[in-house]
């Protein structure tokens, strides 16, 4: 008994001593005091040093896009930091081109605010707002994909370019989970200014998708910011080829709404890939687009229909269907959305069919 | 004088004949994942040398001056892990504050090293083999150098392999583990150099 008590005491006191040492170090060594951030030479922000530039800017309601939530894996939070960023971290190198390094571009999530610094923020980011919204509708699309409709409360209006995305703020809903931001493409009609729709696939163990699927319900309030992103339909007459599967449908659906609103007549074909027939969704909406858009064709592709499933459409990989159906790739533009694997395979096939690389636009779900 | 000789022998053995990575296969996770480039491997290797040396001597003190007098030797696993984790966090904070250049090169590897089993392995071996304080320092330092040597060699080979025609199924971790096995066989050749 004595040994047990002594063991617990000894290990606890050593652990407590070391924890105390770390707390004191945090307060002394890790205290960087108040720092000033000069934004575009126009505005100065006072912040407490010691956190990443990305989180400091987010605290100041300046929303730099970051699909990975600041882990340095998406490379979206690039900013020009001419002064005070310190040495380039090895974690930034894979995401920066040589000319970007020479021009002081950095990943905001990897730069720690330790002293005064100056940053250049693109004008469009300054117009990004934070919204509070209410969950107005949750629709099951497949066993692991849902469509969420968020009605905006404050501000109650959003303007975005079809193809852009919003970032959802996921609160700390369970112990051990920190507050994070995750990016989701907007799927709704851009004419609908008072709401935002997204299509979300459940990622097993995913922080935000688990929260959306299991912890929230109708009328719950959420916080999001946006719009972000460069993915959009170009202003040409070239026939468009859309390729997306699963939740990748979101930005394509938004672009189709836009084409209908603007009466864009350019030919467009949407190849939508799924593994099974039951994984296809929003087929009625796509049929509706086929009726309303003069030159639009929807091509659902099922990789391996099961024997009991009635399917007389395209089968195989979505890239196989593209190969079979596209004969004029050199004249077209392609818009891809989805997983890196699907996008890389599609880019390869489109290249083989004769499409120039600069005609292929994509939104990779990193 | 005798102890110094033992320390040198143990240190030398830790580098070659008893290489912690290629003979005991400890620290394989960062070895396979951070050995794509020589420069990065070097950063991680130096961080390992530093942490291995410091934590082995800290753990020696904790073991001999806390656990042994209280007869709590069986608690060494928990104790060593706590000491390693706290030390690494503390060092990371200090390096980040006082040497941004060193932090940019080495600091990001420190959290990775906290959970490196080679670090814990060195502390446990030093207890099992009943090393003295001086010998422990030499062993920790030597093991770190041995680990650096192994990862540097692997990074060099992998950089050369970028231009090689590796079968598709073996690319990445597959070929890395095969090379690690071949390197281990080569290091077995050092056996008998020291007696």
């Amino acid at each position: 008994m004595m040994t047990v008590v002594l063991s617990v005491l000894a290990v606890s006191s050593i652990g407590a001593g070391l924890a105390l040492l770390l707390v004191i170090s945090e307060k002394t060594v890790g205290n960087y005091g108040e720092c000033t951030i000069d934004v575009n030479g126009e505005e100065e922000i006072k912040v407490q040093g010691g956190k990443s530039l990305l989180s400091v800017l987010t605290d100041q309601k300046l929303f730099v896009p970051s699909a990975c939530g600041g882990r340095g894996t998406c490379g979206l939070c690039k900013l020009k930091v001419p002064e005070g960023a310190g040495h380039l971290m090895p974690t930034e190198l894979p995401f920066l081109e040589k000319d970007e390094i020479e021009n002081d571009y950095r990943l905001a999530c990897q730069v720690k605010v330790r002293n005064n610094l100056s940053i250049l923020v693109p004008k469009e980011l300054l117009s990004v707002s934070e919204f509070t919204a209410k969950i107005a509708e949750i629709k099951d699309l497949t066993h692991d994909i849902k469509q969420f409709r968020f009605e905006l409360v404050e501000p109650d209006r959003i303007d975005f370019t079809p193809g852009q995305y919003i970032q959802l703020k996921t609160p700390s809903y369970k112990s051990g989970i920190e507050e994070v931001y995750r990016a989701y493409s907007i799927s709704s009609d851009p004419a609908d200014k008072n709401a935002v729709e997204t299509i979300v696939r459940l990622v097993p163990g995913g922080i935000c998708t688990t929260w959306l699927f299991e912890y929230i319900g109708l009328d719950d309030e959420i916080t999001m910011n946006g719009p972000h992103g460069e993915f959009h339909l170009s202003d040409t007459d070239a026939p468009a080829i859309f390729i997306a599967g699963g939740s990748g449908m979101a930005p394509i659906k938004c672009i189709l709404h836009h084409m209908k609103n603007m009466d864009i007549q350019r030919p467009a074909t949407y190849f939508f890939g799924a593994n099974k027939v039951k994984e296809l969704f929003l087929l009625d909406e796509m049929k509706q687009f086929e009726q309303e858009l003069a030159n639009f064709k929807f091509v659902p592709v099922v990789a391996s229909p099961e024997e009991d499933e009635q399917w007389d459409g395209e089968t195989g990989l979505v890239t196989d269907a593209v190969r079979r159906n596209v004969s004029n790739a050199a004249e077209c533009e392609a818009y891809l959305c989805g997983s890196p694997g699907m996008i890389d395979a599609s880019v390869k096939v489109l290249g083989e069919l004769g499409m120039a690389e600069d005609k292929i636009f994509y939104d990779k779900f990193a | 004088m005798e102890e110094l000789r033992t320390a040198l022998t143990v240190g030398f053995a830790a580098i070659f004949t008893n290489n912690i990575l290629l003979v005991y296969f400890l620290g394989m996770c960062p070895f396979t994942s951070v050995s794509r480039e020589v420069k990065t491997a070097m950063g991680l290797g130096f961080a390992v040398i530093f942490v291995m040396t410091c934590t082995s001597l800290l753990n020696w003190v904790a073991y001999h001056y806390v656990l042994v007098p209280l007869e709590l030797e069986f608690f060494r696993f928990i104790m060593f892990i706590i000491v390693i984790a706290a030390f690494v966090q503390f060092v990371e904070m200090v390096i980040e504050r006082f040497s941004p250049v060193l932090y940019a090169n080495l600091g990001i590897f420190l959290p990775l090293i906290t959970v490196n089993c080679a670090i814990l392995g060195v502390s446990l071996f030093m207890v099992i083999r009943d090393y003295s304080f001086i010998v422990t320092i030499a062993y920790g330092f030597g093991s770190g150098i041995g680990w650096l040597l192994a990862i540097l060699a692997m990074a060099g080979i992998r950089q050369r392999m970028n231009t090689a025609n590796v079968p598709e199924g073996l690319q990445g971790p597959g070929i890395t583990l095969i090379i690690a096995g071949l390197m281990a066989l080569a290091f077995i050749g050092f056996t008998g150099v020291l007696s």
Side-chain angles (χ1 to χ4, degrees), chain B residues 44 47 51 88-89 92 103 106-116:
Chain B
L44 181 62
V51 174
V88 170
Q89 279 217 333
E92 192 188 354
Y103 181 73
L106 192 145
I108 55 153
F109 297 118
L110 289 172
L112 191 65
I113 293 167
T114 312
V115 287
N116 185 340

Side-chain angles (χ1 to χ4, degrees), chain A residues 3-4 6-8 10-11 14-15 18-19 21-22 25-32 50 86-91 93 110 112 114, chain B residues 39-40 62 66-67 70-72 74-75 78-79 82-83 85-87 89-90 93-94 96-98 100-101 103-105 107-109:
Chain A
T3 313
V4 175
L6 202 61
S7 326
V8 172
V11 174
I14 286 168
L18 289 169
L21 175 78
L22 288 177
S25 315
E26 185 82 45
K27 298 271 180 216
T28 52
V29 181
N31 183 3
Y32 293 87
H87 293 266
L88 198 66
M89 303 294 283
T91 40
L93 285 173
Q110 299 300 301
K112 197 162 177 178
R114 300 189 188 93
Chain B
K39 199 180 158 197
T40 327
V66 180
L67 297 184
L70 294 173
E71 293 178 2
L72 296 173
F74 57 89
F75 255 117
I78 295 173
M79 174 73 98
I82 293 174
V83 169
F87 174 76
Q89 279 217 333
F90 177 71
M93 242 184 271
V94 172
E96 192 181 356
R97 182 67 196 250
F98 298 108
V101 183
Y103 181 73
N105 291 319
I108 55 153
F109 297 118

